[in-house]
Amino acid sequence: MAKIQAIRGMNDILPDQTPVWQYVESTVRKVLGQYGYQEIRMPVVEQTELFKRSIGEVTDIVEKEMYTFDDRNGDSLTLRPEGTAGCVRAAEEHGLLFNQTRRLWYTGPMFRHERPQKGRYRQFHQIGVECFGMAGPDIDAELLILTSRLWAALGLAGHTRLEINSIGTSDARKVYRQALVDYLGQYRDQLDDDSKRRLSTNPLRILDSKDAGTRKVLEGAPSLDNFLDQASLEHFDQLKALLDAAGVTYTVNPALVRGLDYYGKTVFEWITDSLGAQGTVCAGGRYDGLVEQLGGKATDAVGFAMGLERLILLLETLDLVPEHVNNQADVYVTAMGDKVIAPAMAIAEELRNALPGKVVVAHCGGGSFKSQMKKADRSGARYAVILGENELASGNVGLKPLRDDEPQQEVARVELAQLLVNRL
Ligand code: ATP
Ligand code: MG
């Protein structure tokens, strides 16, 4: 019978890949913890209406990328394409936003029906951060300082660059949108098909176009920064000053607009030049209008999401995964013969008591000395503990260093744990 395979663009993350995932996740978790952010966990499925109302009807995500289906009751549900909408829904539903500030984060799979390629999948994973109830540029700056710290912790400082922009209030964008449409309308023939379509649906997204002809036309287009309202300009100036003071370097990219409707004022992207076209590893901005748009009380908000697949790809491409991450075992306890299985297990337990931060693998499944030593070596362990009937009778064990050229030594079983505590 034909075997059933995984869905295109939805990846299994295999045992030899999970260590680097855990490394990235735990590093992010640690950094977010340092700043006092709290984790929130939302369902992966929400009512379709939630995404339509937040992300926007004429965005790429809602127009063509959502996994939407009717459930058995006939309700239209959607696998979440991003986390912000669900986070706002949950926070609002449980009264987390009323007269208080919140710093939240979440992680998990997101789903978009895109063309799978390197760095772009149909099920992918994000870590998202959302802050509520803070209007000033201070919290925008904090998010960027926090991400800088994260890049440093992962060894990525210098491999990611920050682009920021202000896209103003929705009123300011409305005026700009008209000016842009008036200008681009004169060069309609020279635009690519997507941009032609967007002229009437989502003209700001044309600024993002990669098409050479469209880019040429855009060179003469009116610039959004000339249309910004005073409050947005001041907010942006203050943000820049805070980033300067904190030593976070950035460039202002006036064409940076982001693909989701709910953004306003500050937007930003962390980009790497080492992954080709899929170079944005983290993206976000302010969305002061979204909570109200979803039926809540007006609440200032800012957040970002980073793509874990791209981050991991970047670490691997640059060979920045620390060696210890892939070394799963520290000690491998062998058991040569049926009579020593129980004592070998007892020794492994003693070692786990003495070395709570280390990985002690006990051999199971029998086999010859040679095959057990091969497994010990492949486990990545630094030491093999060798236990056979002779050792058992003498009260000793063999201790064999696996990573350096030292000889095997006989060690009294009662001294083994302390010896390994000193060496590991
Ligand atoms: P892009 O322009 O690359 O399509 P986007 O603007 O659609 O990105 P966001 O919705 O802002 O992306 O998502 C935030 C981050 O999530 C991205 O910067 C990226 O790292 C990651 N991401 C988005 N879509 C995918 C995908 N299909 N596969 C893998 N990672 C993704
Ligand atoms: Mg996209």
Side-chain angles (χ1 to χ4, degrees), residues 219-263:
E219 280 169 19
S223 182
L224 174 57
D225 46 348
N226 295 325
F227 290 76
L228 289 188
D229 52 291
Q230 199 54 36
S232 295
L233 281 171
E234 276 168 22
H235 186 106
F236 197 46
D237 282 341
Q238 287 164 12
L239 171 62
K240 287 187 279 187
L242 288 170
L243 293 177
D244 292 337
V248 176
T249 45
Y250 57 85
T251 53
V252 175
N253 175 1
L256 183 66
V257 290
R258 312 283 305 115
L260 293 74
D261 271 4
Y262 50 61
Y263 286 110

Side-chain angles (χ1 to χ4, degrees), residues 65 112 114 120:
E65 296 175 0
R112 296 184 195 177
E114 306 197 65
R120 192 177 292 286

Side-chain angles (χ1 to χ4, degrees), residues 24-39 103 105 129 139 142-143 145-154:
V24 171
E25 287 160 354
S26 69
T27 307
V28 181
R29 201 179 285 265
K30 222 178 295 164
V31 170
L32 288 166
Q34 285 190 284
Y35 288 77
Y37 285 61
Q38 297 176 293
E39 185 182 2
R103 291 173 164 91
W105 71 273
V129 169
I139 187 66
E142 176 175 292
L143 289 181
I145 292 167
L146 175 162
T147 28
S148 298
R149 178 181 290 273
L150 176 64
W151 308 144
L154 291 170

Side-chain angles (χ1 to χ4, degrees), residues 265-282:
K265 289 189 177 161
T266 312
V267 293
F268 57 84
E269 289 192 1
W270 287 95
I271 301 165
T272 174
D273 297 319
S274 306
L275 291 182
Q278 268 62 251
T280 303
V281 290
C282 173

